[in-house]
Amino acid sequence: MMNKPTKPVEGVSLNGEERVPVLSLQGVSRSFDEGASKLEILKGADLNLYEGEMVALVAPSGAGKSTLMHLAGLLEKPQSGEIMIGGRECSKLNDEARTAIRRTDIGFVYQFHQLLPEFTALENIALPQMICGLKRKDAEERARQLLSYMRLTDRETHRPAELSGGEQQRVAIARAVANAPRVLLADEPTGNLDPKTSQYVFEALTALVRASGVAALLATHNLDIAKQMDRRITLKDGKVVELP
């Protein structure tokens, strides 16, 4: 297991300098109509996520985890509040602009890997880069580097059905960071794996976060994994609350 770095105070680097959050949710509210009533999920929620840190989002079902993740990933718009990515206010942008930011600045990892079954591991990682305009040769070279980093060099020509669950998820993680995003959002990334494989995948993800400097928010029910992250947060009464 990897040693965790010394945890900085939120908003302050280890040398005392002010840190600027990579992802910032400020006073974000989101509700849904439920018949004649309104269901309020988030009520002025605030969250800052910093470069190179891993934050665990631990909350019971129905508390609003998915809503928070969708807002952070620009998949939904808040009714009020601001969502800043790299210092840019993004919540009021149109669909096309938000899609462009998701392509370059946000990486997603899901509980079920969502790999394209007809493509090899190498191709699954190269495709998002090619969609963003990178030449195939360069995209495949970066894909090979990521596969090597995830210890999957001998699996680059295998399709998802030929990979184990842990291997599939490591390919999914490599795909998520292929375009060097600022933010990584992972929704139960180890939830479909056995404990030993979960820990192995989590350590591979941690190494990648530390090496790349991406800011990572992981929703998880696995308390053992949550305790290994830099910070733990939950949702209470529609607000983000820090856990000890």
Side-chain angles (χ1 to χ4, degrees), residues 26-239:
Q26 303 172 9
V28 169
S29 297
R30 186 73 169 95
S31 61
F32 299 91
D33 292 328
E34 197 172 68
S37 62
K38 181 176 289 187
L39 181 62
E40 292 186 289
I41 304 298
L42 298 177
K43 307 172 189 177
D46 298 313
L47 172 65
N48 288 327
L49 206 63
Y50 297 92
E51 180 180 338
E53 78 166 347
M54 300 181 74
V55 176
L57 172 57
V58 183
S61 298
K65 289 198 307 293
S66 294
T67 299
L68 183 68
M69 297 288 279
H70 288 171
L71 289 170
L74 305 183
L75 295 168
E76 295 181 20
K77 286 186 176 183
Q79 265 102 17
S80 62
E82 294 184 339
I83 300 172
M84 312 281 290
I85 296 178
R88 180 184 182 187
E89 211 292 311
C90 300
S91 60
K92 298 175 181 64
L93 298 174
N94 61 30
D95 289 345
E96 184 179 356
R98 285 186 295 127
T99 297
I101 291 173
R102 283 197 301 272
R103 253 190 226 126
T104 58
D105 286 4
I106 305 173
F108 296 91
V109 182
Y110 303 97
Q111 179 175 354
F112 300 99
H113 54 78
Q114 307 289 350
L115 298 174
L116 298 173
E118 66 271 31
F119 293 101
T120 65
L122 181 77
E123 291 166 340
N124 265 282
I125 301 168
L127 278 171
Q129 302 174 72
M130 293 166 64
I131 289 171
C132 284
L134 203 63
K135 293 181 180 179
R136 180 173 188 142
K137 179 181 177 182
D138 296 330
E140 289 184 345
E141 177 59 28
R142 175 159 171 77
R144 287 191 179 92
Q145 291 172 356
L146 286 166
L147 284 169
S148 175
Y149 198 87
M150 302 301 281
R151 301 178 188 175
L152 290 169
T153 299
D154 59 344
R155 294 289 190 266
E156 72 171 57
T157 61
H158 289 61
R159 290 180 171 80
E162 301 170 305
L163 302 172
S164 69
E167 289 170 342
Q168 291 171 351
Q169 200 62 312
R170 279 184 282 155
V171 172
I173 291 167
R175 178 185 59 184
V177 301
N179 284 327
R182 295 170 181 264
V183 178
L184 180 66
L185 302 173
D187 192 357
E188 295 289 350
T190 63
N192 199 38
L193 305 172
D194 64 79
K196 184 177 180 180
T197 306
S198 292
Q199 182 62 36
Y200 188 86
V201 168
F202 174 72
E203 291 184 1
L205 175 58
T206 300
L208 207 51
V209 168
R210 303 306 190 207
S212 66
V214 66
L217 178 64
L218 282 73
T220 181
H221 283 103
N222 189 323
L223 297 182
D224 289 334
I225 281 179
K227 289 175 182 176
Q228 298 175 57
M229 297 191 222
D230 301 309
R231 289 192 286 138
R232 286 152 297 284
I233 60 173
T234 189
L235 291 166
K236 185 176 181 181
D237 298 326
K239 295 186 181 294

